[in-house]
Amino acid sequence: MPPNNNTLRIAGLDGLRGIAVTAVMCHHLIQVYASSDSWVRIFSGGFIGVDLFFVISGFLITWLALVEFRVSGRINVPHFYMRRALRLIPALLFFLLVNIVVAVYNDRLAQVMPSVWATLFYYLNWKVYFTLEVAPGFGHLWSLSVEEQYYMLWPLCLLLLLRSRRAVPVVALATLAVVLQRNLAWHEGGNWLPLYLRTDMRLDALLLGALCAFFWQSQYLARLFNGRPAGIALF
């Protein structure tokens, strides 16, 4: 579905988010309630849901930046950071406050605070990677840390790439490099944890979303397929 020019909103992304959320929820429910030999385990594709979230994030952030660059010839990086903060931080602060109150009530504040700080400053994935420790209820926030680290660096990288006019080949090569790096680490028999938690091992999904944004902005698929078939082909 084409974007709404007044709100810079792509309604179709809500459907993709719904698919991703459903995959993650099914994965966790099956892990808890299904036996190891149950046939329903064929639907435990939560990892795919996480990757889809990363692709959506990479697409949306890059697409918004490309729209701004096309209109004004620049990317207002401070304004970008402010938009991300206003979108994410209020809900995150509420979540952390509730957990701190519960921890104080249960006399577990000392055990919870390291995860609170790691979540607040977006390094939880690296904390878990190095210490293998995370407070109950915080484990799922590792992906938010990965996305925020990407948000901090990508606008600056994108601005340099757009000025060099080599953005698409560079992003494509970087995506391929991450895929090769992860596959090499896997075939060398490495621990699965670095492949799952480390930011550098998850960048390919975010960069793939960025590539989709470049293709979408160029309207190549729209010219080739026209309308809804273009969206299906890009999906």
Side-chain angles (χ1 to χ4, degrees):
M1 181 177 293
N4 183 323
N5 290 328
N6 294 324
T7 63
L8 293 180
R9 180 183 181 84
I10 302 176
L13 292 184
D14 293 336
L16 291 179
R17 289 189 183 99
I19 294 172
V21 169
T22 301
V24 173
M25 291 179 63
C26 286
H27 172 79
H28 287 292
L29 289 172
I30 289 170
Q31 292 295 318
V32 173
Y33 295 109
S35 62
S36 59
D37 58 349
S38 174
W39 64 271
V40 299
R41 284 191 172 268
I42 64 174
F43 298 107
S44 60
F47 297 153
I48 297 175
V50 174
D51 284 332
L52 182 53
F53 269 121
F54 285 153
V55 173
I56 293 171
S57 295
F59 172 85
L60 185 59
I61 294 305
T62 305
W63 180 72
L64 290 172
L66 291 176
V67 170
E68 182 180 359
F69 190 82
R70 185 179 70 241
V71 172
S72 65
R74 66 188 185 97
I75 298 174
N76 189 332
V77 176
H79 186 240
F80 169 87
Y81 291 149
M82 183 60 65
R83 287 200 312 265
R84 292 297 95 199
L86 292 176
R87 181 177 178 85
L88 296 172
I89 289 180
L92 181 62
L93 290 177
F94 178 76
F95 171 85
L96 295 177
L97 179 62
V98 170
N99 276 273
I100 289 173
V101 170
V102 172
V104 170
Y105 178 79
N106 293 322
D107 195 25
R108 297 186 63 253
L109 186 61
Q111 291 76 27
V112 170
M113 284 308 297
S115 293
V116 170
W117 293 122
T119 301
L120 183 61
F121 292 103
Y122 301 114
Y123 62 89
L124 184 67
N125 63 315
W126 291 104
K127 178 185 182 303
V128 178
Y129 170 68
F130 284 113
T131 68
L132 301 179
E133 295 177 355
V134 63
F138 284 79
H140 63 290
L141 292 169
W142 71 270
S143 60
L144 181 62
S145 294
V146 172
E147 290 195 7
E148 282 298 315
Q149 292 159 29
Y150 170 77
Y151 293 163
M152 291 298 295
L153 296 176
W154 181 238
L156 300 174
C157 296
L158 186 58
L159 189 58
L160 295 175
L161 289 171
L162 289 173
R163 288 175 176 172
S164 71
R165 301 184 181 275
R166 294 183 176 87
V168 172
V170 170
V171 174
L173 288 173
T175 305
L176 180 61
V178 176
V179 173
L180 294 176
Q181 176 194 14
R182 187 173 58 248
N183 277 275
L184 180 61
W186 175 256
H187 287 295
E188 288 179 346
N191 193 316
W192 69 272
L193 198 59
L195 310 182
Y196 192 68
L197 293 178
R198 278 173 43 175
T199 306
D200 58 322
M201 294 288 191
R202 303 307 294 260
L203 281 178
D204 56 327
L206 291 157
L207 293 175
L208 181 60
L211 279 175
C212 289
F214 280 106
F215 283 121
W216 189 259
Q217 190 205 40
S218 70
Q219 298 185 343
Y220 173 75
L221 289 174
R223 292 194 299 269
L224 188 62
F225 294 104
N226 191 20
R228 189 172 298 276
I232 296 173
L234 186 58
F235 173 75

